[in-house]
């Protein structure tokens, strides 16, 4: 007697491997989609950070110009042995802005710039504290010695002499940021953003020179358009 055996093993095995490869491909496709999405989002975050940084730096240029005006006025008042009412302003930087930038070179430059701004703000706070103490003594009717005013005058003079360097450091970082933005302006968000994890840019001396000329023309145009007292990047 002949027996015909039916083996379901082969059928079950085919179903298993079919399900396995299907699940694997679905997982890989999902992972690839996740990576592409995150890289694209990171690139967009980088571009937005450049826009934000450019805005912050231009505000710093305005503040540095305002600082120069405030200090100059305070010096005139201090020379008359009077206590000025106006206080120096501090330069602010948004938190975690460096974490949003996708260029290591630009992050390093921004970090060094931030250290210089921290130093500037420290000196600003010290001067404001000194002016506040003099004002308190004056309000309490105490006679202030001439030496106190000469000390403050020297501090203000030293501070204002350092402003051109801060101004130039800010201008240089503005130029670099603008060049980064210009080079990314026409880049495809999907292709360029996905196929790169960092977005470094080759910036030549000539690039910086051209951007400075363009920037100064824009500033001069805005200065004439707005008011004679608007900000120039060179103090």
């Amino acid at each position: 007697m002949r027996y015909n055996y039916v083996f379901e093993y082969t059928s079950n095995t085919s179903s298993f491997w079919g399900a396995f490869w299907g699940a694997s491909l679905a997982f890989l496709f999902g992972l690839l989609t996740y990576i592409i999405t995150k890289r694209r989002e990171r690139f967009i975050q980088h571009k937005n950070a450049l826009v934000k940084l450019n805005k912050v730096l231009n505000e710093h240029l305005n503040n540095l110009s305002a600082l120069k005006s405030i200090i100059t006025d305070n010096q005139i008042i201090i020379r008359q042995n009077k206590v000025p009412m106006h206080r120096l302003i501090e330069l602010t930087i948004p938190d975690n802005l460096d974490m949003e930038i996708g260029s290591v070179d630009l992050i390093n430059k921004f970090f060094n710039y931030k250290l210089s701004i921290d130093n500037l703000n420290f000196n600003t706070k010290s001067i404001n504290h000194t002016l506040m103490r003099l004002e308190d003594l004056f309000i309490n009717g105490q006679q202030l010695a001439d030496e106190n005013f000469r000390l403050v005058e020297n501090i203000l003079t030293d501070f204002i002499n350092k402003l051109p360097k801060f101004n130039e450091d800010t201008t240089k970082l503005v130029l670099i940021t603008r060049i980064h933005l210009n080079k990314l302006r026409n880049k495809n968000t999907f292709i360029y953003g996905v196929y790169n994890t960092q977005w470094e840019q080759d910036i030549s001396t000539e690039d910086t020179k051209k951007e400075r000329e363009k920037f100064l023309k824009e500033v001069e145009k805005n200065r004439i358009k707005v008011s004679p007292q608007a900000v120039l990047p060179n103090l």
Side-chain angles (χ1 to χ4, degrees), residues 47-186:
K47 291 181 67 175
N48 291 338
L50 292 177
V51 174
K52 187 186 299 183
L53 177 60
N54 184 59
K55 179 177 181 294
V56 169
L57 294 174
N58 278 280
E59 289 175 352
H60 284 185
L61 287 175
N62 288 334
N63 290 338
L64 288 170
S65 180
L67 267 174
K68 181 182 179 182
S69 297
I70 293 172
I71 294 174
T72 301
D73 292 341
N74 285 354
Q75 284 177 313
I76 295 174
I77 297 173
I78 285 291
R79 293 189 186 107
Q80 300 173 11
N81 287 3
K82 297 179 181 180
V83 181
M85 296 179 58
H86 296 294
R87 300 293 178 260
L88 309 189
I89 57 177
E90 297 181 31
L91 277 60
T92 60
I93 296 178
D95 294 334
N96 300 322
L97 180 56
D98 54 330
M99 301 299 294
E100 300 175 6
I101 300 173
S103 165
V104 175
D105 180 65
L106 186 57
I107 290 175
N108 290 334
K109 287 182 171 59
F110 175 71
F111 179 75
N112 291 331
Y113 174 76
K114 187 175 182 300
L115 290 178
S116 67
I117 293 302
D118 289 342
N119 181 60
L120 177 70
N121 287 335
F122 175 81
N123 292 334
T124 297
K125 291 178 181 178
S126 298
I127 293 175
N128 286 341
H129 177 74
T130 301
L131 293 176
M132 186 69 69
R133 290 292 300 145
L134 290 178
E135 186 177 50
D136 290 341
L137 292 173
F138 180 79
I139 292 175
N140 291 330
Q142 297 189 30
Q143 185 69 28
L144 300 177
D146 291 348
E147 290 77 8
N148 293 326
F149 293 102
R150 301 293 76 78
L151 175 62
V152 174
E153 182 181 356
N154 292 335
I155 293 175
L156 291 176
T157 300
D158 182 65
F159 189 92
I160 201 171
N161 289 338
K162 293 178 179 178
L163 286 183
K165 182 182 184 305
F166 286 111
N167 193 84
E168 178 60 20
D169 290 343
T170 306
T171 301
K172 286 180 178 179
L173 193 54
V174 167
L175 299 178
I176 294 173
T177 303
R178 284 165 58 103
I179 293 173
H180 272 264
L181 280 169
N182 292 336
K183 288 181 177 291
L184 295 180
R185 193 179 305 279
N186 297 322

Side-chain angles (χ1 to χ4, degrees), residues 1-8:
M1 180 181 295
R2 178 177 295 178
Y3 296 96
N4 294 324
Y5 296 97
V6 178
F7 294 95
E8 296 183 358

